[in-house]
Amino acid sequence: MSLRRAACLSLLIATALASTARAGTVGREQDVVDLKLGQRVLVDDGTCPAGQVKEVRGAKMTDKGISRTSSCVPRHGPKTK
């Protein structure tokens, strides 16, 4: 395999993995329709205290699909020095 082909393949794989590992942010919990096992989605619906945001996780597999759990986690904004 040529070096150019290996570099392109590595870049493609890294891009695909980075895009799937990121937690998405939505405005309502009803907007999360296809939650996968282990996936985390941040929901900014105002139900958590100031400085926090709701995190919805695909917790475990059941007969009816994937069960969800949610908790308030610290909101991570832009880093400052």
Side-chain angles (χ1 to χ4, degrees):
M1 186 179 333
S2 70
L3 183 60
R4 178 181 281 173
R5 181 176 282 178
C8 289
L9 184 61
S10 297
L11 181 63
L12 180 65
I13 291 171
T15 304
L17 289 175
S19 64
T20 58
R22 188 178 351 167
T25 304
V26 295
R28 299 181 313 162
E29 193 170 347
Q30 293 84 7
D31 294 340
V32 182
V33 290
D34 190 26
L35 191 65
K36 295 174 179 53
L37 190 61
Q39 182 180 6
R40 298 173 182 213
V41 178
L42 300 176
V43 179
D44 191 10
D45 59 358
T47 58
C48 291
Q52 294 185 345
V53 66
K54 185 192 298 183
E55 180 183 69
V56 178
R57 293 180 303 276
K60 63 181 178 179
M61 196 68 139
T62 64
D63 293 339
K64 297 182 180 184
I66 296 175
S67 68
R68 299 175 177 204
T69 61
S70 63
S71 62
C72 294
V73 295
R75 180 185 304 266
H76 295 290
K79 293 185 178 182
T80 58
K81 291 185 179 182

